[in-house]
Structure formats: structure tokens, C-alpha cells
Amino acid sequence: ANRSEIGDQMERITATVPVTTPPSWAAQQQLLMQTLERSAHTFCDKYVRDDGELYWDDKFGGGSPDDFYEAFFSWPLVYLMGGGDHLLEMAHRGWEGVTRLLTRCGTVSKEYAHAEDQFHQSESDIFFYHLCLADPKNTSSQIRARRFAGLYLNEDPDAINFDPEHKIVLSPWNGAGGPRYLPEDAKPGMIRAGERYGLPTYELPDVQTWKDTEDDDKARRLGEVMHGRWEKGDVIANLALSSLVTNAFLLTGEEKYRDWVLEYTDAWIERAKANDWMVPDNVGHSGKVGEYINGKWYGGLYGWTQFHGWYNIQMTLTDAAANAYLLTRDDRYLELPRRQLDRILELGEIRD
């Protein structure tokens, strides 16, 4: 409101008491920032080569890329909060070093994971998002943001990851190499369950508890069943890709990125609505939920019945809703995580 709108209600507040001693919280905050700034040097001295690569023996392979990128991902965030310029420079060098290392190990191609599940890849991407936020005018980051998002807009002919007709990502494993399907002669690995999370399925008569999977033969048969179900089609974990494409929009302002985020998020919202707001965790290539899991809406890779379960799903839904709301200011997108949480609470039980 301006002065003419509020008339005599306008008041002027003037600070007249000098602050000679900063409050303790401010001093502690500065100490924390200084410690974080120094810790980057300490970490590099012990674990990072001069070229930005982590000390690593390539014979161990690349593994899951998130475990490498996560070593640096907070540095550009601390820089954004007021940390020293050296943090941004060191973060860029660290990203380049990890990417070079994982490319050599075969995990990364075209500077992005060759074929990874998005539960883990989205953790890797946090580092890149922070770099883009801290240094949005960096030309290399802008080029990479376009290229990474383009992997899901089918702009790379060698990486057709998305089916625009059914609005699905084609595989639980995807990336710069396109969708990854298990070859017919592949031997799926064993799946050993933990007591905390239970089994991904209880359909095998002699595999009914997590302790059963301590037996190699039973763990192998469980692996065969589940990997057959996780080989192709879309899974709820892939909704994390909304952040990758939103990042490209934030850097470029190009509408095609916003359109993709909304189209893909809307597709998952419709699937949730059709299932009484219990969002499915898998979709087949025909666009049918449960196509490869005997018609069940649960059982996909990193879905309701795998490690973490609801924890993974609600974080993914919240991220996607936040991205769509950021791009549209349409609060109906916030109904996706809200309605899902309501359903969970309705179905909950209190046990002694």
C-alpha cells in the first residue's frame, strides 16, 4: 500500500540504539560459515587430486554416481549463503573431476549417467543444480542443462528415453545411453531383504521373511522375479526428472522445458486420481498400470514395496509438485503430495 491508500496510518520506524556487540547467534553463524569454508580445503588436501578427481582406483569401476558427486554438493550452497569465492571455483573443479573419473570408469557418458535409476541419479543431480543456482551465467552449465534435459525431450537420437504418446519414461534405468533393458541372457543378481524394509514381493512360497533371503538360492530366485518386473516401463522414481528439466527452464526460460514438466507431472496426477489418490509406482509401455506386475499398482523399482517405500515416494511427489507450482503458480499441483499424505493417514493403524 502507498501513503495515499493508508493516510494517517503510515508510521516511520527509526533505529536509534547502536549495536555494539553482535548477538551470540550471529557470531555462531559466522563461525560456522568460516569453518565450512576451511573444511573444503581440508577435504581436498586429503581426498582430492589437483585436477579435481577423487583419489580412486579405476579397477573398482564407477558404481552409483551419487556417492561421488555428493562429496562436493554442499559447497556451492555454502557459497550462495555468503561463503568465499573459492568454494565456487573448487566446486566447479570437483564436478569436472568426478565427471571425468566416472566417464573413464564407464558409468557416465556425455557428462551424464549412462543408465541409472533416478532414485540415485537425482541425488547426483543436486550438485549440478547447486552449481547452476550459484553460477547461472556459466556457459558450460547452461549447455549441460540443455543437453541433460534434452535426454528426456528426445533431442539426442542416441537416447530416446521418453514416450510422448503415453507420457512415460521407457525404463527404470535411463540416461545418456537411453533406456536400459536387460538382455535375454542376463543373470539378475540376488536380492537380499533387510529386516527394516521387508520383501519387495511375498509371492514366492518359500521366501516370506527377510531371513529367507540369507539363503543364496532363495535370494537369487527373488532377484529373477523382481528384475523381470523392473526391466522396462516407467516407475514413480522417474518423476524426479521434473527437477532436471525445471533446472533447464530456470536457466534458459524456454517454454518447451516447462511444457514437459507439466505434461509428465499431469500424467502421474491422473494415475493417482484413478487409483483413489494412491499413486501407482509402475506403468508399462502400453501406458497401463501394473502391466508387468500382474496388474498391481505397486511393486515397481524403488516404489511402494522396495527399500524406503513411502519415504522415497512422498519426497518425489513433493519435488514434482513444487516444480510444477514454481512454473505455474497453480496450487492444484500441491494436491499431489497432500492427497497422498491424506490417504496414508486414513489407512494408518496404531499398534502397540
Side-chain angles (χ1 to χ4, degrees):
N2 57 37
R3 182 181 293 274
S4 63
E5 291 175 324
I6 60 177
D8 295 337
Q9 296 179 13
M10 174 68 77
E11 294 184 7
R12 180 182 298 276
I13 299 175
T14 304
T16 59
V17 179
V19 178
T20 57
T21 304
S24 61
W25 64 262
Q28 291 293 321
Q29 187 180 69
Q30 287 300 307
L31 177 61
L32 174 62
M33 292 295 292
Q34 292 166 9
T35 303
L36 289 171
E37 289 179 330
R38 290 196 301 270
S39 70
H41 291 295
T42 303
F43 179 83
C44 282
D45 289 344
K46 188 170 184 179
Y47 299 112
V48 183
R49 304 180 197 274
D50 291 341
D51 61 0
E53 291 191 16
L54 295 165
Y55 286 107
W56 183 255
D57 191 329
D58 291 1
K59 71 181 181 182
F60 293 114
S64 183
D66 63 301
D67 295 328
F68 296 80
Y69 288 107
E70 285 172 336
F72 304 91
F73 84 117
S74 64
W75 295 2
L77 189 60
V78 175
Y79 163 80
L80 277 167
M81 296 168 63
D85 292 346
H86 68 282
L87 292 172
L88 184 59
E89 188 274 329
M90 293 169 72
H92 275 300
R93 188 167 69 249
W95 193 92
E96 298 277 358
V98 169
T99 303
R100 186 168 56 250
L101 184 159
L102 293 180
T103 299
R104 193 169 63 245
C105 291
T107 306
V108 163
S109 61
K110 302 177 184 177
E111 299 185 311
Y112 199 72
H114 187 73
E116 185 59 73
D117 68 80
Q118 286 299 324
F119 169 68
H120 289 97
Q121 179 58 38
S122 62
E123 293 180 303
S124 303
D125 291 336
I126 293 172
F127 184 17
F128 183 63
Y129 302 154
H130 285 173
L131 274 176
C132 292
L133 191 63
D135 193 10
K137 294 183 179 181
N138 183 279
T139 302
S140 295
S141 292
Q142 292 179 2
I143 293 172
R144 286 163 178 154
R146 292 175 185 273
R147 185 167 70 249
F148 298 163
L151 296 171
Y152 299 92
L153 274 67
N154 294 345
E155 294 177 349
D156 184 336
D158 297 323
I160 305 301
N161 284 295
F162 189 67
D163 175 0
E165 177 184 355
H166 296 106
K167 299 179 178 59
I168 60 171
V169 176
L170 293 168
S171 172
W173 291 279
N174 50 77
R180 190 196 79 182
Y181 305 126
L182 293 175
E184 293 183 3
D185 59 349
K187 293 184 179 180
M190 294 183 284
I191 291 182
R192 300 194 189 278
E195 182 177 11
R196 182 175 183 178
Y197 299 117
L199 302 176
T201 182
Y202 291 87
E203 295 177 31
L204 293 175
D206 56 346
V207 185
Q208 293 294 303
T209 72
W210 66 274
K211 288 188 69 66
D212 290 332
T213 63
E214 294 179 352
D215 178 274
D216 287 353
D217 182 61
K218 293 178 180 180
R220 188 175 296 107
R221 285 192 290 114
L222 181 61
E224 291 172 354
V225 170
M226 297 316 299
H227 283 287
R229 297 178 175 188
W230 296 340
E231 176 185 357
K232 57 186 178 181
D234 206 351
V235 291
I236 190 64
N238 284 337
L239 191 54
L241 288 163
S242 65
S243 294
L244 185 73
V245 183
T246 295
N247 183 66
F249 175 82
L250 294 176
L251 285 183
T252 69
E254 293 188 18
E255 295 295 328
K256 64 180 180 180
Y257 300 123
R258 175 161 57 187
D259 292 345
W260 189 94
V261 171
L262 301 182
E263 178 181 59
Y264 189 48
T265 303
D266 284 339
W268 278 106
I269 290 176
E270 291 305 312
R271 293 175 194 127
K273 285 182 178 179
N275 198 40
D276 195 20
W277 286 103
M278 292 294 291
V279 66
D281 64 17
N282 69 97
V283 187
H285 280 178
S286 69
K288 181 181 178 181
V289 171
E291 183 173 349
Y292 309 124
I293 311 183
N294 301 326
K296 295 178 180 178
W297 53 269
Y298 54 89
L301 184 71
Y302 289 110
W304 286 103
T305 63
Q306 204 188 356
F307 313 119
H308 318 124
W310 158 247
Y311 170 80
N312 293 353
I313 291 168
Q314 185 68 342
M315 283 199 298
T316 304
L317 299 184
T318 302
D319 284 347
N323 290 330
Y325 179 71
L326 175 67
L327 297 177
T328 65
R329 289 298 189 267
D330 185 345
D331 60 9
R332 73 180 178 88
Y333 284 105
L334 305 181
E335 290 299 298
L336 177 59
R338 180 181 292 127
R339 291 290 189 93
Q340 185 61 83
L341 181 57
D342 288 343
R343 291 294 289 123
I344 289 292
L345 293 175
E346 289 170 8
L347 295 169
E349 298 179 9
I350 298 177
R351 297 181 182 180
D352 186 347

